[in-house]
Amino acid sequence: MESSLWLGNKRHRATLTGWNFKWTRLDKKNNENQTISVSVSDVVGVEEGRVNVLPRKSVKDSDKDFTVFYVKRVRSGSSRGLLWRLSQTQFSCPSRVLRDQWTKHLRAALKTHCPLRPNKLLVFINPFGGKKKGKHIYDSLASPLFELAGINCHVIVTERANQARDHLLKKDLAGYDGVVCVGGDGMFSEVLHGLIGRTQQEAGLCENDPSVALQACPLHIGIIPAGSTDCVCYATVGVSDPVTSALHIIIGDSQPLDVCSVHHANTLVRYSVSLLGYGFYGDVLAQSEKKRWMGPLRYDYAGTLVYLSNRSYAGVVHFLPADPLISSPRDKTRCLSGCDVCSSSTERLFIQSSESSSLCSSQHSIIGSEPEGEWVKVEGRFRCVSLTCMSCSCPKSPLGLSPSAHLADGTGDLILVWDSNPLGFLKYLYRHTSSQDQFDLPFVEVHRVKAIRFSVSSIEEDDTYRVVQEPSPSEVEDLSRDGSLQQLRSKCTPLSRATCGICCSRAPTRSVWNCDGEILPFTDIQCRIHGQLVKLYARGIEDTAAVQSENGQL
């Protein structure tokens, strides 16, 4: 379709052909001056009249005008990805008939070229996460955009923990195209466990069997960030921004995501998509849980306290290496939008027979699914043992724990930090905040793996100490400065599996596992990466240079 349209008092030649809608400014001699082109896939909606949506909707009714809303990408100063913003252009037509033709053809083009866009969404809002602004963020930023795009949303404001998970496990989900969570990583984890559990139930698969190849979830998951860290959103979009995430959902983007299952004694414990950490990261989480009243600052406080305790733990790690010819955690590549490694990956951890994938059998295990000779055993004392299925990038660590990790290649990165001197470990932690290679240290090694097993080394556990009345930070500082640690020691009593880490001379023999921000009740675990088990409304982190080259500008 092609005709003359007006923007203000300037005449333009507008053309809709296939995937593109463009308009070119004409001068008095009908010479083309400036052209703006918008891909149909980036169009959010078309409305009659002169319409504004954000910050609040307003309509100036006119029978000759229409407004086109579309995505505009802008640079983000502090993040790796691009911010998406809602842009709009208001056109005037010579007649109402022509206006109706343009709106009809543009809407038809959206249905033809964008068939995977969601029509109906189930939305869960956590009103308590982060700064408790989840409902406000949804009502003021996401909801108006969904309404503009014609998406029907059923909204549930959660009132208790695991309400979203229970709903997804038990209620009828027919007719929904996806599930959206408004909150932080904890809310995402609820939705993740609910959808995976529901899918396996309907497929007749047993989640407790670690050898079972799990069924991929049919519904997409969307994330509107409203938490403290929003690690999953940041690592899959590149920014933690509600408008950007809402627009990705509207456009119908699809990003496969690997999921790690965690088992103990042939029983499913949890699923993980970001960090599974033992040692330092587990101790930090355990310490921070005691200071929830501090808000996000509790992580800095707990991290400092745990670092000063200078702990390491004995353990045995078995891992099944991935093919090093496909990719490596040291290859300096980045998993960006359209990643070749993820796009070409069709592998799953193990080739399952129909018998082992359809029945829950206690005779099958991770060990029995692959030849024993392929497993690698490592034993020693570790500062931390980490397994991650993504880079785990965040504003404080722009490149993340493993910068070259991939989102959907069926592997995870196993990071082993051996016992080292405090200054060496501090250097390792500091490099997470910069562009320096955190793996280029003699006490750090990283492996790309498909599965791991961890157990505590068979060293006799000695009694240690724990804090009965935990000292305040000012008490610790004052007593340490005066050398009066005996006063601090008087607040500790023997216990076998915890320590204050400040004054006690004996170190604990066991840490805890930090699984996506939740403490696991078991130490001995086995983990398996399930390739592309879920799909997000995202497209990965966009390559700024590639987008700039394609569009000419940002």
Side-chain angles (χ1 to χ4, degrees), residues 20-208:
N20 290 292
F21 173 51
K22 64 180 181 179
W23 55 97
T24 304
R25 182 179 173 182
L26 303 176
D27 59 19
K28 294 181 179 180
K29 297 182 180 180
N30 288 333
N31 295 321
E32 296 185 355
N33 194 346
Q34 182 183 7
T35 299
I36 298 177
S37 180
V38 174
S39 173
V40 171
S41 63
D42 285 340
V43 175
V44 176
V46 182
E47 294 285 321
E48 289 89 354
R50 294 182 172 272
V51 182
N52 290 303
V53 174
L54 297 178
R56 59 181 61 88
K57 186 172 183 179
S58 64
V59 180
K60 291 184 178 179
D61 193 13
S62 172
D63 58 2
K64 297 181 180 180
D65 299 333
F66 69 95
T67 305
V68 177
F69 297 87
Y70 52 93
V71 173
K72 182 178 181 180
R73 297 167 178 81
V74 298
R75 293 183 184 275
S76 174
S78 59
S79 302
R80 293 175 60 195
L82 297 173
L83 290 170
W84 282 22
R85 289 293 175 258
L86 183 68
S87 188
Q88 65 189 63
T89 301
Q90 297 173 343
F91 297 94
S92 295
C93 302
S95 67
R96 179 172 183 172
V97 173
L98 184 60
R99 191 277 306 271
D100 293 342
Q101 289 178 347
W102 270 110
T103 56
K104 178 182 177 181
H105 280 80
L106 284 168
R107 289 167 178 164
L110 284 178
K111 291 184 178 180
T112 301
H113 297 295
C114 309
L116 299 180
R117 292 192 176 189
N119 295 310
K120 186 177 181 180
L121 295 172
L122 177 59
V123 181
F124 292 100
I125 301 176
N126 179 7
F128 308 109
K131 297 181 179 179
K132 300 182 179 181
K133 294 184 177 180
K135 191 173 187 307
H136 172 74
I137 288 174
Y138 178 79
D139 291 340
S140 61
L141 298 177
S143 181
L145 295 177
F146 291 156
E147 182 182 353
L148 171 66
I151 300 176
N152 181 20
C153 296
H154 177 59
V155 180
I156 298 176
V157 180
T158 60
E159 300 176 350
R160 59 175 176 84
N162 294 320
Q163 180 179 344
R165 183 201 64 183
D166 296 342
H167 184 99
L168 293 171
L169 286 172
K170 300 174 183 177
K171 300 297 183 179
D172 183 15
L173 302 180
Y176 290 110
D177 300 305
V179 181
V180 175
C181 55
V182 184
D185 293 328
M187 191 63 181
F188 170 80
S189 182
E190 276 196 43
V191 171
L192 178 79
H193 282 77
L195 281 183
I196 294 178
R198 176 65 172 267
T199 303
Q200 309 324 306
Q201 288 178 13
E202 295 180 348
L205 299 177
C206 180
E207 295 178 277
N208 288 326

Side-chain angles (χ1 to χ4, degrees), residues 132-387:
K132 300 182 179 181
K133 294 184 177 180
K135 191 173 187 307
H136 172 74
I137 288 174
Y138 178 79
D139 291 340
S140 61
L141 298 177
S143 181
L145 295 177
F146 291 156
E147 182 182 353
L148 171 66
I151 300 176
N152 181 20
C153 296
H154 177 59
V155 180
I156 298 176
V157 180
T158 60
E159 300 176 350
R160 59 175 176 84
N162 294 320
Q163 180 179 344
R165 183 201 64 183
D166 296 342
H167 184 99
L168 293 171
L169 286 172
K170 300 174 183 177
K171 300 297 183 179
D172 183 15
L173 302 180
Y176 290 110
D177 300 305
V179 181
V180 175
C181 55
V182 184
D185 293 328
M187 191 63 181
F188 170 80
S189 182
E190 276 196 43
V191 171
L192 178 79
H193 282 77
L195 281 183
I196 294 178
R198 176 65 172 267
T199 303
Q200 309 324 306
Q201 288 178 13
E202 295 180 348
L205 299 177
C206 180
E207 295 178 277
N208 288 326
D209 186 350
S211 69
V212 166
L214 298 179
Q215 184 78 27
C217 300
L219 296 181
H220 280 64
I221 302 176
I223 307 173
I224 304 295
S228 300
T229 55
D230 302 309
C231 174
V232 178
C233 182
Y234 195 95
T236 56
V237 178
V239 294
S240 180
D241 177 71
V243 172
T244 300
S245 295
L247 291 173
H248 276 289
I249 295 170
I250 292 170
I251 295 301
D253 279 336
S254 183
Q255 172 62 56
L257 190 66
D258 297 337
V259 178
C260 174
S261 62
V262 183
H263 287 78
H264 170 79
N266 286 331
T267 300
L268 176 70
V269 182
R270 283 190 74 84
Y271 293 109
S272 169
V273 297
S274 54
L275 172 66
L276 185 65
Y278 181 83
F280 178 79
Y281 297 109
D283 291 348
V284 169
L285 179 61
Q287 189 69 38
S288 68
E289 286 298 298
K290 305 173 185 177
K291 301 291 183 182
R292 295 191 67 87
W293 57 269
M294 295 178 66
L297 288 177
R298 68 184 184 272
Y299 298 114
D300 295 329
Y301 167 74
T304 302
L305 206 63
V306 172
Y307 168 76
L308 292 175
S309 70
N310 194 29
R311 304 172 189 170
S312 64
Y313 300 94
V316 181
V317 182
H318 293 83
F319 63 89
L320 185 64
D323 188 348
L325 298 179
I326 298 178
S327 64
S328 165
R330 301 294 301 276
D331 59 16
K332 304 296 183 182
T333 62
R334 296 291 183 270
C335 186
L336 301 175
S337 180
C339 173
D340 292 335
V341 173
C342 295
S343 298
S344 62
S345 177
T346 57
E347 72 167 334
R348 294 294 183 265
L349 282 178
F350 309 107
I351 299 176
Q352 300 290 325
S353 67
S354 59
E355 295 180 356
S356 64
S357 62
S358 61
L359 297 176
C360 179
S361 172
S362 61
Q363 297 177 352
H364 289 92
S365 66
I366 278 186
I367 301 175
S369 300
E370 284 286 334
E372 277 287 339
E374 294 190 13
W375 287 79
V376 178
K377 177 182 177 181
V378 179
E379 183 173 7
R381 295 195 67 86
F382 304 99
R383 287 280 191 155
C384 56
V385 176
S386 304
L387 178 65

Side-chain angles (χ1 to χ4, degrees), residues 413-435:
D413 285 354
L414 173 66
I415 306 168
L416 303 175
V417 181
W418 297 85
D419 193 11
S420 62
N421 64 72
L423 289 180
F425 187 59
L426 182 62
K427 180 185 293 186
Y428 168 75
L429 295 176
Y430 176 76
R431 288 189 177 184
H432 287 84
T433 66
S434 67
S435 59

